Amino acid sequence: MRSLRLSFGKLVFPVLMLSFLWTACGGGGGGSDGNTHAASAPVIERFAAEPGYLVSGSGDGASLVWQVTNADRLTITPDVGAVSGASGSTAVHPAVTTTYTLLVENDEGDDSATVVVAVGAIEPAGDQAYGDVPAGLPARLSVGLVEDPGLTWMRDSGVAWDMRYHYFVKGWRNNWGWDATNSGQWGLDFMRECDDHGFLPVVQYYCMNGYSDYNESIFLSTAQNTSTMADYFDDFKVLMQRCKEFDKPVLVLMEGDGYAYMQIQSGDNPDAYAAVAATGMPELAGLPNTAAGWGLAFLRIRQAVGADKVILGMHISGWATGKDIAYYQTGIPLQPEVDQAYAFLAELGLAANVTGQTYDVLVGDPLDRDSGFYEVNQGLGQARWWDASDDAPIDSKSFNRYAEWMRLWNIKSRKRWVLWQIPLGNSNHLNVWNDGGPRQGYKDNRPEYFFANGTDHLRKFADAGTIALLFGPGAAGQSYCTNDVYTDGQLFMQSRAGDILNAGGVPIVTDGN
């Protein structure tokens, strides 16, 4: 028996839930179509609902889509009955949330899979976005936080958080010297702990900086060092092995700002030398020894290990072209900057390539520290506040400009967005270093923008392609959710984000334009 289960633990989404449960009985199999087999049990390659939600009373239907091998008999319950073909679809019109089961059989065995068509009252967001939501992610705008292993605040908060993330930096593989096996067990333990708490695990893989002696200016030089890159890629291979062992969806966000450093330091040249096949790693044989090959290496290693439940994200920096579109060059047109960065990153795996795979999502981080930190500690010239008004012009330092930049990227790449490391400061913070006391931490307006006044801004960013908002500080002393006391005496994220998430959150369209 083999099983593949997407689980969100204790989380229950009353308005919209896209869940997928696959239970296989019998062995694996091959075969070229659904009606011929040579002593092999049938296998369901795909069973999906398109879309995975329906708005109550709309009269809309969904298509149940399948792809199978070695099957002689196919049955969908309830209400559908026998179907046929190695691939096909059938329409359903459930009035309430319904779980559909596909059973395929032959004389050697059977296989089954289930999919949920959710029916709810909230009109989903994201219908303007391009590209599908990767399989394994919720069909709502996910919200998550950073939390250290071993802590339980998220679990005990009473909030239906979707995701929990942590940095994996150099040394993670042997738990910074505490694991003599060097097996990556610390990483697997983190994934399992997230799952036990009811959250999808998110890895921010941030190791090149450590291999560069924490000198970001030598990112490309590090990538050109054969022995260093052999160790670096081997660490990533171990991560993929542990993800495969975990055997559930994991969101892996690759090298924050690393792709931008590669672009700038290579002079926008994806053919600049980098040690990839030269490392001697068998999995990388045949890949080019270039900056492009460096980006493709992660796809190839994931593929070779068979970590097919890993959702891989490429980090997109707003300053990768040498112009900071979010803070310092807010008057320049956005499309040329998107086009220039995409032309470079397409070669690194954002577009079709020799691996046969591409990155699954785009990853952005609006700011690594609270806006108030820059204002207090580095003067007004370093202020990083965004105008939150709905009528802010696109050529201003504003949420509107950032959302437009994301929208253009979404159209260009046909990929959805994960926003990560979003500051947690609010207007009630004291603008001081956070030692854990009430209201300590620096001011920011991002949590209030998204959660203080309904769901309109969540929907706006979903329409620009966003599928997840992950909040957390990128440095010590910043605001955090455990002491973000608001004007009413409640913790802001726990109360405001919690109200929205516990009511079902904002459903999103999973199949894009």
Side-chain angles (χ1 to χ4, degrees), residues 428-488:
N428 200 45
H429 276 102
L430 298 173
N431 251 5
V432 298
W433 185 271
N434 186 4
D435 283 320
R439 298 177 59 202
Q440 287 186 350
Y442 295 93
K443 296 179 185 293
D444 203 283
N445 61 352
R446 290 169 177 85
E448 288 162 292
Y449 176 84
F450 285 114
F451 298 114
N453 297 292
T455 61
D456 286 351
H457 292 152
L458 296 172
R459 301 176 73 87
K460 176 184 180 69
F461 271 70
D463 283 338
T466 306
I467 58 174
L469 299 171
L470 305 179
F471 291 79
Q478 307 303 301
S479 299
Y480 192 53
C481 54
T482 56
N483 64 335
D484 62 343
V485 179
Y486 203 46
T487 54
D488 58 359

Side-chain angles (χ1 to χ4, degrees), residues 313-391:
M314 175 185 282
H315 194 272
I316 312 296
S317 301
W319 46 267
T321 61
K323 301 171 187 174
D324 189 335
I325 61 92
Y327 294 101
Y328 293 110
Q329 282 84 35
T330 55
I332 63 174
L334 292 170
Q335 189 68 61
E337 305 308 308
V338 171
D339 291 344
Q340 181 182 343
Y342 179 83
F344 179 82
L345 295 175
E347 300 295 317
L348 277 70
L350 205 51
N353 59 79
V354 296
T355 71
Q357 299 189 356
T358 64
Y359 286 81
D360 303 298
V361 294
L362 309 176
V363 184
D365 64 315
L367 194 60
D368 61 348
R369 292 164 174 81
D370 298 303
S371 297
F373 172 85
Y374 286 98
E375 191 170 15
V376 169
N377 291 281
Q378 300 186 26
L380 291 175
Q382 279 287 323
R384 302 295 182 95
W385 292 96
W386 278 348
D387 185 344
S389 59
D390 291 332
D391 58 356

Side-chain angles (χ1 to χ4, degrees), residues 213-229:
D213 295 324
Y214 302 97
N215 181 355
E216 294 167 335
S217 68
I218 62 169
F219 195 98
L220 177 59
S221 296
T222 300
Q224 294 171 337
N225 186 302
T226 302
S227 61
T228 298
M229 293 311 294

Side-chain angles (χ1 to χ4, degrees), residues 2-11 13 16-24 47-48 99 112-116 133-140 142 162-163 195-196 198-201 246-251 308-311 510:
R2 60 183 175 86
S3 63
L4 168 64
R5 180 179 175 85
L6 177 69
S7 172
F8 296 99
K10 305 178 183 68
L11 302 190
F13 305 152
L16 175 67
M17 177 180 68
L18 177 64
S19 64
F20 182 79
L21 173 64
W22 182 308
T23 304
F47 185 46
T99 300
S112 65
T114 68
V115 68
V116 172
V133 175
L137 297 184
R140 72 172 185 174
S142 296
D162 300 289
M163 299 177 179
D195 185 59
D196 287 344
F199 312 126
L200 190 147
F246 177 62
D247 199 31
K248 295 180 180 181
V250 183
L251 181 56
D308 54 9
K309 298 188 185 75
V310 169
I311 301 145
T510 57

